């Protein structure tokens, strides 16, 4: 099963680390509209990738900013 590239949203964040007990990890993992997500904490931009068929980039940015992190869509 291939992922539609239009459903992959990519963001620059300031999330340096994320562990399985953090609120951000719990919310992203349990969000009903997020199929997959990952953060590349080794990348200088701490790139967040979110796969969602229904969420818009603005909604994802708001979720991340609500945790107190910076988040900007990359094109």
């Amino acid at each position: 099963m291939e992922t539609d590239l239009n459903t992959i949203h990519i963001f620059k964040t300031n999330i340096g680390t994320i562990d399985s007990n953090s609120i951000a990890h719990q919310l992203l993992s349990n969000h009903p509209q997020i199929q997959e997500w990952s953060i590349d904490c080794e990348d200088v931009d701490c790139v967040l990738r979110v796969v969602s068929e229904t969420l818009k980039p603005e909604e994802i940015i708001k979720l991340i900013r609500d945790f107190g992190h910076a988040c900007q869509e990359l094109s």
Side-chain angles (χ1 to χ4, degrees):
M1 179 178 186
E2 290 187 31
T3 302
D4 179 355
L5 295 179
N6 293 323
T7 65
I8 301 172
H9 308 286
I10 302 172
F11 305 91
K12 174 182 176 178
T13 73
N14 67 345
I15 302 172
T17 62
I18 189 162
D19 66 48
S20 60
N21 294 323
S22 71
I23 294 171
H25 186 282
Q26 300 282 332
L27 183 75
L28 290 168
S29 294
N30 296 316
H31 195 288
Q33 294 174 299
I34 296 176
Q35 285 78 44
E36 293 179 51
W37 67 273
S38 66
I39 296 178
D40 184 353
C41 295
E42 300 295 318
D43 188 288
V44 68
D45 290 330
C46 301
V47 175
L48 168 65
R49 289 174 183 82
V50 176
V51 178
S52 176
E53 294 178 4
T54 55
L55 288 176
K56 293 180 173 74
E58 302 82 34
E59 295 170 304
I60 298 167
I61 290 169
K62 181 177 178 349
L63 281 172
I64 300 304
R65 288 184 176 166
D66 285 349
F67 298 129
H69 293 289
C71 186
Q72 175 184 352
E73 185 176 19
L74 293 175
S75 49

